[in-house]
Amino acid sequence: MTTLIWIAAALVLVGVYLSWTAGRLDRLHSRIDAARAALDAQLLRRASVAQELGTAGVLDPAASIVLYQAAHAARQAEEEQREVAESELSQALRAVFTEGPQVEAVREAPGGEESLEELTQAVRRVPMARRFHNDAVRAARAVRRHRVVRWFRLAGHAPFPLAFEMDDEPPVALADRTGH
């Protein structure tokens, strides 16, 4: 009789552990979804501000075209091409805002200071949002690698989480403004 009690207690403990692990994995997947939504919002904001600046007429024509095309491509990119398009927008931002004269041209335009501040904030927030997303992905992957999770299929039908890898280095002229 005591053997049955010990077996039942062990089964209850295993069940509680499996339930706790499945709940943790579910919370991690929810965290990934929320972080991805925040990342998408920040990427969209950055592309929108860049596209506005590209069409505002305050930059030289070549810079306007480069910035507008990269921002438009980033906004219209399919999911499979999103990382590449966002990296190209980062490169375009660095190419356009490498030098101070472009920043000064935007600043001197009507409403330019606000646009520049908005772009600076957007450029600064993208790496943070990407870092939060990738940290959530890393945590979920670590849990999903455990044998118990795989054996008991605790992840259910949730797809394996993928990190969002892109070039998100800010332009030097805008990075200097973060303390501004």
Side-chain angles (χ1 to χ4, degrees):
M1 186 67 161
T2 55
T3 306
L4 288 175
I5 292 173
W6 283 109
I7 290 173
L11 287 175
V12 166
L13 286 176
V14 167
V16 167
Y17 173 75
L18 292 176
S19 175
W20 177 80
T21 303
R24 179 173 178 224
L25 198 53
D26 186 51
R27 287 188 303 276
L28 285 170
H29 283 134
S30 295
R31 190 172 130 204
I32 289 171
D33 291 342
R36 181 58 189 241
L39 175 61
D40 286 342
Q42 292 304 323
L43 291 172
L44 181 62
R45 180 175 180 231
R46 181 182 76 152
S48 297
V49 173
Q51 199 168 14
E52 284 178 24
L53 281 174
T55 59
V58 296
L59 301 171
D60 65 68
S64 293
I65 291 171
V66 166
L67 196 57
Y68 175 80
Q69 287 179 341
H72 181 71
R75 289 182 72 175
Q76 300 298 317
E78 296 293 325
E79 194 60 37
E80 304 83 39
Q81 297 298 318
R82 185 98 188 263
E83 293 173 352
V84 173
E86 294 295 346
S87 293
E88 288 172 355
L89 177 55
S90 295
Q91 293 165 1
L93 285 166
R94 280 197 307 273
V96 170
F97 292 106
T98 308
E99 302 168 5
Q102 293 289 14
V103 174
E104 290 304 318
V106 173
R107 182 179 288 129
E108 291 169 3
E113 187 65 39
E114 292 81 18
S115 295
L116 207 53
E117 183 62 31
E118 191 175 356
L119 181 63
T120 300
Q121 288 180 6
V123 163
R124 187 179 49 205
R125 289 178 180 165
V126 166
M128 288 188 295
R130 189 175 72 86
R131 193 172 315 121
F132 288 140
H133 175 266
N134 288 349
D135 286 347
V137 166
R138 197 172 304 112
R141 283 180 171 180
V143 172
R144 286 183 71 151
R145 282 192 195 109
H146 289 85
R147 283 188 206 131
V148 172
V149 173
R150 290 190 318 243
W151 289 344
F152 289 98
R153 306 182 96 184
L154 298 180
H157 296 289
F160 195 74
L162 299 174
F164 194 87
E165 297 301 331
M166 64 171 273
D167 173 7
D168 59 6
E169 186 175 329
V172 176
L174 296 179
D176 292 342
R177 289 180 47 84
T178 56
H180 179 253

